[in-house]
Amino acid sequence: VFVVTLLIAYLLNWRLQRIMMAPINVIIDLVTYVAQKREYQKRLTIKSEDEIGQLTNGINSMLDTIEQREKQLRENSERLESLVAMRTEQLFQRANYDALTDLPNRHLLIDRLDHGIDNALRENLKIAMMFLDLDRFKVINDSLGHTVGDQLLSQVANRLTDVMETSDSVCRWGGDEFVVLIEHVAQRSDVE
């Protein structure tokens, strides 16, 4: 009788322990999954009013909060990356192009000149560089104003760009000065 009672007590204890540990094992599995996969969309479905139920609700609430924070962080990160890309493009534009004419400035001209010289040496070609300025531009600025002077500079930039090949460069050196860089010059008449 004692051995049978001991066996029944052992079996009941084993069964009761399994019933009590099942929800805790589910919680442990979820926490392990979240820690390893960094995925926060899974939730526990244990429905009880005891301490295990309260723990389940707390974990679900915590996962909701973490998931919302992760979403906010992703959105903020994407917004910041977009802003950085836009600012980088703006800085590149300001550093390399003239604000009034949208022509390459001195900085970009030097890069293009280096590139043109390298190509000319490699392909045994010639390049030409012309420095142009507008005569009596100061008179236009002084008599008609800077707005008219700016319009004139823009028109000159457009006309120079229109007559040049796409491989050539028209750059604004500053003020009323422009530089034209012509690559692949075969003969002097190409420059003329």
Side-chain angles (χ1 to χ4, degrees):
V1 171
F2 177 73
V3 171
V4 171
T5 304
L6 192 59
L7 183 61
I8 291 173
Y10 175 76
L11 290 174
L12 286 175
N13 182 37
W14 177 75
R15 180 74 177 137
L16 185 61
Q17 189 176 18
R18 282 188 56 128
I19 291 171
M20 291 180 69
M21 286 301 294
I24 293 174
N25 287 334
V26 170
I27 291 171
I28 291 170
D29 290 344
L30 176 67
V31 169
T32 303
Y33 174 82
V34 167
Q36 290 175 349
K37 303 283 185 178
R38 302 256 188 235
E39 295 179 12
Y40 306 105
Q41 70 275 7
K42 282 193 172 188
R43 299 294 182 267
L44 295 170
T45 56
I46 299 170
K47 305 287 185 203
S48 64
E49 300 297 324
D50 59 359
E51 290 83 6
I52 298 292
Q54 291 173 354
L55 180 62
T56 300
N57 290 335
I59 289 174
N60 286 340
S61 175
M62 180 180 66
L63 288 173
D64 287 340
T65 302
I66 291 172
E67 191 173 20
Q68 289 173 356
R69 294 277 190 232
E70 283 286 317
K71 182 180 176 187
Q72 288 174 344
L73 285 173
R74 266 193 314 275
E75 289 171 355
N76 289 341
S77 176
E78 290 169 1
R79 199 172 322 121
L80 285 174
E81 287 174 5
S82 171
L83 186 61
V84 165
M86 182 181 71
R87 294 290 187 214
T88 302
E89 178 64 29
Q90 288 174 344
L91 287 174
F92 178 82
Q93 186 73 19
R94 286 182 184 167
N96 293 296
Y97 290 89
D98 177 61
L100 177 65
T101 61
D102 286 329
L103 291 177
N105 62 13
R106 292 178 189 207
H107 181 262
L108 191 53
L109 170 65
I110 292 169
D111 284 347
R112 290 186 179 180
L113 182 59
D114 288 341
H115 181 264
I117 291 171
D118 289 343
N119 281 344
L121 290 173
R122 185 174 43 253
E123 297 175 19
N124 199 24
L125 294 172
K126 296 177 184 174
I127 63 172
M129 188 166 130
M130 295 184 285
F131 189 85
L132 309 171
D133 71 334
L134 304 179
D135 291 339
R136 296 181 294 282
F137 181 72
K138 184 174 180 345
V139 174
I140 294 171
N141 261 347
D142 291 344
S143 62
L144 300 174
H146 290 282
T147 303
V148 174
D150 289 349
Q151 290 172 349
L152 176 62
L153 290 172
S154 294
Q155 284 297 318
V156 169
N158 290 337
R159 289 183 185 191
L160 286 173
T161 304
D162 288 344
V163 298
M164 302 305 297
E165 299 291 329
T166 55
S167 63
D168 301 329
S169 298
V170 177
C171 304
R172 182 166 179 216
W173 188 255
D176 66 338
E177 302 164 335
F178 296 88
V179 175
V180 176
L181 178 65
I182 303 173
E183 297 187 44
H184 308 291
V185 175
Q187 54 199 9
R188 186 180 184 121
S189 63
D190 294 343
V191 177
E192 295 169 355

